[in-house]
């Protein structure tokens, strides 16, 4: 049989099923009713309690339905419409149900009728939707206006935050080819502690004790990892070990850190206004923070020329600083720092930049998100200084993928002496004098070397 005859005998595949939404007339009716209810209830919003406004919404809804022809909806649909209007007044429409669910980590809206969520590390499409594109855009504008920012054709993307600390990013056409895109990354209301990280397998007891000693002993810590790997969560946990008597200055694009210490100053960058003026960058805030008598400087994320100012702060007496950077591995993070220092606009020799990095950073903590959605610390490294033109890293903890555990490398960190000078001690086996000292990773012997700083 010829190939053409075989193909002719094959039945064509059935057309894909089209997901049918609600009937357009019903949608239009509900939109008209919703808009009329909002107009009627708006004057009573000032000073009214939520219970009173809910009653006003119910009354206005009954009146609005009375003006609609064939507006027959059952009790369940009526309650849903009341809840929808109330959510628009007090919250963020269909997003409220996800914002109140502690199991949801991420909310991703690709269109008004396409909302995805990440629940316990698994991404799934929800059945929720906005009424239409206008309703969707109104919620985005409400979120952005809540932090004094804007999103329009001249500024078509923005970072913001919700009142609970959730991180928000929005981008609108023409940068998004279809409808606006809204992404919300949520954080637990009560925050994570080191016990939570140990219990869920993110870190181990030994690594937790080591990191606690590093923070209390004022070692500069760099947290690295990819998007969604848990860097901000880990930064929050590490910052919890900063002393209550210290003055802490946090610097972020959108304030997400939630420190519990009594003496915390939070700074937030600002985009330019409509006229293109008034922008305040992370770098501006880092330089200004140096004049604010900080004991600790915590930068939410370094992504540009502020890397140079951060390194200079670490090298000029502001010890115990913490920050994060996007990278695929600890050594890649150091390469990225080199690139970001060059973005500051100074033509510095590469060796001078590397010496600054080697002198400033004490510990690099790398975190990843596994294929199952779990977040794991996969490596903790100590910076040993320079060997020739290379920054030397020594792995102290490494992730065992086969057994899903973070295991110590069995080497005694050199920074233990600096911790001891500050009165910070680690339990056995770290404190044993006969424990092997960590050695740099094997490399060809350089012609000359620069030891790690001994200022501590």
């Amino acid at each position: 049989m010829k190939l053409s005859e075989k193909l002719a005998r094959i039945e064509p595949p059935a057309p894909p099923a089209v997901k049918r939404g609600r009937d357009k007339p019903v949608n239009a009716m509900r939109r008209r009713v919703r808009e009329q209810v909002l107009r009627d209830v708006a004057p009573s919003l000032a000073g009214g309690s939520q219970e009173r406004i809910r009653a006003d919404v119910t009354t206005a809804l009954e009146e609005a339905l009375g003006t609609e022809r064939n507006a027959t909806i059952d009790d369940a649909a009526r309650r849903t419409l009341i809840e929808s209007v109330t959510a628009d007044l007090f919250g963020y429409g269909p997003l409220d149900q996800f914002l109140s669910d502690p199991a949801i980590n991420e909310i991703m809206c690709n269109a008004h009728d396409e909302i995805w969520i990440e629940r316990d590390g698994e991404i799934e499409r929800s059945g929720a939707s906005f009424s239409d594109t206008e309703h969707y855009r109104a919620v985005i504008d409400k979120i952005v206006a809540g932090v004094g920012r804007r999103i329009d054709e001249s500024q078509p993307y923005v970072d913001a935050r919700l009142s609970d600390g959730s991180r928000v990013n929005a981008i609108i056409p023409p940068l998004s080819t279809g409808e606006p895109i809204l992404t919300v990354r949520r954080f637990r209301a009560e925050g994570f502690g080191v016990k939570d990280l140990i219990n869920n397998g993110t870190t181990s007891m030994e690594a937790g004790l080591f990191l606690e000693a590093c923070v209390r002993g004022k070692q500069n810590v760099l947290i690295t990892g990819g998007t969604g790997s848990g860097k901000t969560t880990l930064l929050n946990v590490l910052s919890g070990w900063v002393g209550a008597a210290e003055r802490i200055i946090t610097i972020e694009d959108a304030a997400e850190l939630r420190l519990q210490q009594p003496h915390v100053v939070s700074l937030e960058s600002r985009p330019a206004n409509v006229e293109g003026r008034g922008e305040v960058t992370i770098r501006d805030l880092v330089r200004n923070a140096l004049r604010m008598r900080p004991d600790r400087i915590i930068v939410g994320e370094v992504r540009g020329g502020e890397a140079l100012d951060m390194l200079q702060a670490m090298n000029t007496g502001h010890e115990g600083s913490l920050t994060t950077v996007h990278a695929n591995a600890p050594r890649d993070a150091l390469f990225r720092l080199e690139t970001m220092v060059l973005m500051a606009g100074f033509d510095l020799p590469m060796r001078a930049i590397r010496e600054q990095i080697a002198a400033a950073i004490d510990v690099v903590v790398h975190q990843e998100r596994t294929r199952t959605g779990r977040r794991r610390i996969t490596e903790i490294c100590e910076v040993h200084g320079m060997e020739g033109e290379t920054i030397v890293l020594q792995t102290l903890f490494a992730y065992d993928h086969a057994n899903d555990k973070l295991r110590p490398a069995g080497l005694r960190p050199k920074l233990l002496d600096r911790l001891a000078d500050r009165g910070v001690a680690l339990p056995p086996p770290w404190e044993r004098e006969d424990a092997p000292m960590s050695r740099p990773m094997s490399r060809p012997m350089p012609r000359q070397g620069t030891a790690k700083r001994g200022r501590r």
Side-chain angles (χ1 to χ4, degrees):
M1 183 181 295
K2 296 181 180 179
L3 177 60
S4 58
E5 296 175 350
K6 291 182 179 180
L7 292 176
R9 297 180 60 182
I10 298 177
E11 295 183 0
V18 178
K19 184 179 179 181
R20 297 184 178 274
R22 288 172 284 185
D23 295 335
K24 290 184 178 181
V26 176
N27 274 335
M29 181 272 292
R30 293 187 178 184
R31 182 166 57 253
R32 290 193 300 271
V33 169
R34 174 179 168 277
E35 291 174 352
Q36 181 178 340
V37 170
L38 289 176
R39 286 195 303 268
D40 295 342
V41 176
S44 64
L45 288 179
S49 64
Q50 187 166 347
E51 291 75 14
R52 175 187 171 185
I53 294 176
R54 185 181 293 273
D56 292 344
V57 167
T58 303
T59 302
L61 176 62
E62 297 294 344
E63 295 177 355
L65 290 176
T67 62
E68 289 284 337
R69 296 180 179 178
N70 302 323
T72 56
I73 58 176
D74 55 23
D75 292 339
R78 190 183 302 268
R79 287 194 300 270
T80 300
L81 191 53
I82 292 175
E83 292 296 332
S84 173
V85 175
T86 306
D88 289 336
L89 294 173
F90 292 102
Y92 306 109
L95 301 183
D96 284 352
Q97 57 183 306
F98 306 126
L99 294 172
S100 61
D101 188 345
I104 294 178
N105 306 319
E106 201 108 19
I107 306 170
M108 297 153 281
C109 305
N110 298 341
H112 78 277
D113 56 353
E114 184 183 347
I115 302 178
W116 296 76
I117 59 174
E118 178 188 325
R119 191 193 306 271
D120 297 327
E122 298 292 333
I123 296 179
E124 60 186 68
R125 183 168 181 172
S126 73
S129 66
F130 295 88
S131 300
D132 48 38
T133 304
E134 289 74 17
H135 180 207
Y136 180 28
R137 179 61 189 272
V139 171
I140 293 177
D141 291 337
K142 182 178 181 179
I143 293 174
V144 172
V147 292
R149 299 192 177 184
R150 63 185 176 85
I151 183 168
D152 50 35
E153 288 74 13
S154 62
Q155 181 64 45
Y157 59 91
V158 67
D159 290 321
R161 69 180 186 278
L162 301 180
S163 57
D164 63 355
S166 298
R167 180 193 307 171
V168 178
N169 175 268
I171 184 168
I172 62 174
L175 299 189
S176 61
T177 56
E179 295 189 24
I181 308 296
L182 178 68
T183 309
V184 181
R185 177 168 297 172
R186 302 190 59 235
F187 302 98
R188 292 205 321 180
E190 65 276 12
F192 280 92
V194 66
K195 292 183 179 179
D196 298 309
L197 300 187
I198 294 173
N199 290 337
N200 63 28
T202 299
T203 186
S204 64
M205 177 68 73
E206 295 86 356
L209 292 172
F210 175 73
L211 293 176
E212 179 183 2
C214 289
V215 175
R216 295 189 186 279
K218 287 197 169 184
Q219 304 301 293
N220 295 323
V221 180
L222 175 67
I223 302 172
T224 70
T227 301
S229 60
K231 299 185 299 299
T232 302
T233 299
L234 181 59
L235 183 60
N236 263 314
V237 172
L238 297 188
S239 64
W241 289 315
V242 177
E246 298 186 66
R247 176 175 169 87
I248 309 168
I249 297 182
T250 66
I251 302 171
E252 303 172 84
D253 270 331
E256 300 168 359
L257 297 175
R258 290 171 288 180
L259 278 65
Q260 304 302 315
Q261 289 84 348
H263 199 169
V264 178
V265 178
S266 179
L267 304 180
E268 188 177 52
S269 64
R270 184 181 68 185
N273 59 19
V274 179
E275 299 175 349
R277 301 176 181 176
E279 181 182 15
V280 180
T281 66
I282 293 291
R283 187 178 183 190
D284 297 329
L285 296 178
V286 171
R287 287 183 292 189
N288 188 79
L290 299 178
R291 305 182 182 95
M292 299 173 66
R293 201 269 177 206
D295 288 315
R296 307 260 190 161
I297 298 177
I298 300 178
V299 180
E301 182 182 346
V302 174
R303 57 166 66 98
E306 65 271 10
L308 176 60
D309 301 282
M310 186 69 189
L311 292 175
Q312 289 180 328
M314 291 177 174
N315 282 323
T316 54
H318 300 91
E319 301 170 337
S321 297
L322 307 171
T323 189
T324 73
V325 63
H326 276 78
N328 295 326
R331 183 159 296 281
D332 291 344
L334 302 186
F335 293 151
R336 283 211 66 211
L337 280 179
E338 295 176 11
T339 303
M340 289 187 285
V341 169
L342 294 174
M343 292 169 64
F346 297 100
D347 188 15
L348 299 175
M350 191 59 66
R351 180 178 178 85
I353 296 175
R354 292 175 180 172
E355 287 177 345
Q356 284 281 317
I357 295 173
I361 305 297
D362 295 302
V363 176
V364 181
V365 183
H366 186 67
Q367 188 156 326
E368 295 181 2
R369 181 178 175 182
T370 65
R371 290 175 295 178
T372 60
R374 300 182 182 275
R375 294 159 174 87
R376 297 287 186 263
I377 293 178
T378 58
E379 193 172 0
I380 300 177
C381 299
E382 181 183 15
V383 180
H384 276 200
M386 295 279 293
E387 279 192 0
E389 300 292 329
T390 304
I391 301 175
V392 179
L393 293 177
Q394 172 59 51
T395 299
L396 301 178
F397 291 86
Y399 179 63
D400 182 355
H401 289 268
N403 297 299
D404 191 26
K405 289 184 179 180
L406 183 64
R407 299 187 183 278
L411 301 174
R412 183 174 181 268
K414 289 184 177 181
L415 58 79
L416 290 188
D417 296 332
R418 298 198 297 271
L419 295 178
D421 292 340
R422 295 183 177 274
V424 179
L426 280 167
W430 299 104
E431 64 183 10
R432 295 202 318 261
E433 293 296 333
D434 59 345
M437 289 290 292
S438 60
R439 293 183 174 84
M441 292 182 287
S442 58
R443 299 184 184 277
M445 288 298 293
R447 289 177 295 180
Q448 57 181 359
T450 301
K452 182 72 175 174
R453 67 192 183 285
R455 59 181 171 84
R456 301 179 198 166

